[in-house]
Amino acid sequence: MIDIDWKNLAFGYVKTDYNVRCYYRNGQWGELEVSSSEEIPMHMAATCLHYGQEAFEGLKAFRGKDNKIRLFRIDENAKRLQASCAGIMMAEFPIEKFKEAVRKVVKLNERFIPPYGTGASLYIRPLVIGTGAQVGVKPASEYLFVVFVTPVGPYFKGGFKTTPFVITRKYDRAAPLGTGTFKIGGNYAASLRAGQEAAKGGYSNVFYLDAIEKKYIDECGAANFFGVKNNTYITPKSNSILPSITNKSLLQLAEHLGMKVERRPIALEELETFEEAGACGTAAVISPIGYIDDLDNNKRYTFSKDGEPGPWSTKLFKLLQGIQYGEEKDVFNWCEIL
Ligand SMILES: *Cc1c(COP(=O)(O)O)cnc(C)c1O
């Protein structure tokens, strides 16, 4: 047994035994290779270092109630990685190879999958980088796919609770015709200053508005936004947000639970009318929002008076997490059992 304090594990990097790699050379992807090295030897003129040819994914493997290992919607991550690669002109990694690589890296590191009941899980990080040397601004001709895993602790250490968010008008994460819909490192670099300012102010996350008019809700940090009112789950439609697989799943579950669902532009003032609000993504599933401060206008939008998450957020969170841990019926066949 490995000596890890699963319940107090942070969201950080823990060395595991193996990673899986694949090289794109001469116009094609090679065979999957298993490596125990944490390093990537690379040419100093690689396009990922200069021109941001880098895309990644984030998904999780769970040790279920029945002790089985579950992977959640990996075909969705495979497809999104392809879209991200195409978006920044990198070679697209084949869907079946992606699934094979993820299964392989999870199995090889099985001893790092946290036990059921700890709330912890195995985070899986696939990435594609341009490794070919290039000084002119154009796509590389060589790429590397790597997938590694790292055990991560429960997102909510003190239980499922709301946290405060803050609106920024000083920074944009992505532009409407830019790369916001792709999961690429460049968008994260663009978000670091806003994230740091929010953290300094004591907020857990930053809330972005649309880049053109600053009138509509875009995303919160690296998570999608949703609001709830009149038994309706409402999430923004925008061409600068990342299509979250968690959000897509919550939309389906909300309908399944009898809610109405809407994906449409949400004006900032509409925040006033929501009974519940949350941020969603793989890391937390749902991070319920207590209030959102608009410091420029001295305004606070409050969604929880006592810090407790609302009933729909709680129900959706429990159902999705329950499916991932094999406690609830997997009604939409999302989990693959390894
Ligand atoms: C990864 C990510 C999300 C969440 O997507 P999931 O598939 O639900 O994990 C949301 N927004 C951004 C910007 C992201 O990078």
Side-chain angles (χ1 to χ4, degrees):
M1 273 304 283
I2 40 174
D3 186 23
I4 294 179
D5 179 7
W6 304 107
K7 283 196 165 113
N8 292 306
L9 199 57
F11 190 86
Y13 177 79
V14 174
K15 185 185 187 303
T16 57
D17 295 331
Y18 301 102
N19 56 85
V20 172
R21 306 178 182 206
C22 186
Y23 291 90
Y24 180 90
R25 292 185 183 118
N26 304 316
Q28 57 186 22
W29 288 101
E31 296 300 316
L32 297 181
E33 298 173 20
V34 174
S35 171
S36 54
S37 167
E38 292 173 277
E39 320 223 316
I40 300 172
M42 196 172 4
H43 195 288
M44 61 187 171
T47 60
C48 66
L49 300 175
H50 301 259
Y51 304 129
Q53 271 202 306
E54 188 275 346
F56 66 97
E57 272 303 324
L59 61 157
K60 283 175 170 178
F62 304 87
R63 176 72 72 182
K65 195 179 176 185
D66 51 9
N67 210 37
K68 289 180 177 152
I69 305 163
R70 279 177 178 73
L71 294 169
F72 186 72
R73 305 195 82 171
I74 66 172
D75 47 329
E76 291 292 328
N77 295 94
K79 285 191 272 182
R80 192 170 65 187
L81 181 60
Q82 285 203 329
S84 298
C85 286
I88 54 171
M89 298 201 71
M90 301 199 292
E92 290 174 38
F93 195 64
I95 306 264
E96 278 314 310
K97 246 193 171 67
F98 178 96
K99 293 194 198 172
E100 208 187 310
V102 169
R103 291 177 192 128
K104 204 179 189 102
V105 76
V106 170
K107 277 201 187 133
L108 285 168
N109 295 292
E110 191 173 339
R111 69 189 188 105
F112 291 94
I113 305 175
Y116 173 72
T118 56
S121 55
L122 189 73
Y123 186 73
I124 307 165
R125 170 52 60 85
L127 57 129
V128 175
I129 54 175
T131 48
Q134 196 76 267
V135 176
V137 183
K138 49 185 180 222
S141 52
E142 292 188 356
Y143 295 89
L144 169 63
F145 166 88
V146 184
V147 56
F148 67 84
V149 295
T150 193
V152 293
Y155 191 88
F156 298 100
K157 294 204 172 56
F160 189 54
K161 280 270 172 349
T162 64
T163 58
F165 285 49
V166 66
I167 290 169
T168 178
R169 285 186 186 75
K170 233 167 106 187
Y171 305 105
D172 292 315
R173 188 191 75 92
L177 301 175
T179 53
T181 55
F182 309 126
K183 205 167 179 78
I184 60 171
N187 296 336
Y188 276 73
S191 75
L192 292 175
R193 283 186 299 171
Q196 178 134 53
E197 277 189 25
K200 264 194 200 148
Y203 298 97
S204 74
N205 222 331
V206 63
F207 206 86
Y208 293 103
L209 302 178
D210 79 275
I212 296 179
E213 297 182 88
K214 300 271 185 261
K215 222 177 126 182
Y216 298 95
I217 292 164
D218 230 47
E219 274 200 273
C220 2
N224 279 186
F225 171 81
F226 72 88
V228 173
K229 65 175 171 188
N230 309 324
N231 296 329
T232 310
Y233 179 102
I234 307 166
T235 192
K237 187 179 170 71
S238 150
N239 55 359
S240 52
I241 67 182
L242 199 276
S244 154
I245 296 161
T246 312
N247 196 11
K248 186 176 175 173
S249 308
L250 290 172
L251 275 159
Q252 278 178 264
L253 291 180
E255 248 183 336
H256 177 71
L257 291 176
M259 297 180 85
K260 282 186 285 228
V261 300
E262 293 173 9
R263 193 195 284 274
R264 56 167 171 80
I266 303 175
L268 176 59
E269 306 83 69
E270 196 180 341
L271 281 182
E272 201 114 49
T273 65
F274 288 129
E275 297 149 16
E276 301 177 36
C280 58
T282 295
V285 178
I286 288 175
S287 179
I289 304 175
Y291 56 86
I292 301 171
D293 276 347
D294 183 350
L295 300 174
D296 303 318
N297 295 306
N298 214 357
K299 197 164 170 48
R300 173 170 290 182
Y301 300 94
T302 304
F303 309 103
S304 169
K305 285 184 188 70
D306 54 3
E308 292 303 315
W312 279 120
S313 303
T314 307
K315 219 179 274 181
L316 286 165
F317 172 76
K318 286 198 170 145
L319 180 53
L320 184 47
Q321 188 149 79
I323 290 172
Q324 293 172 330
Y325 283 109
E327 301 157 344
E328 297 278 352
K329 186 158 186 277
D330 185 6
V331 274
F332 296 106
N333 262 320
W334 285 334
C335 296
E336 171 178 324
I337 294 180
L338 260 196

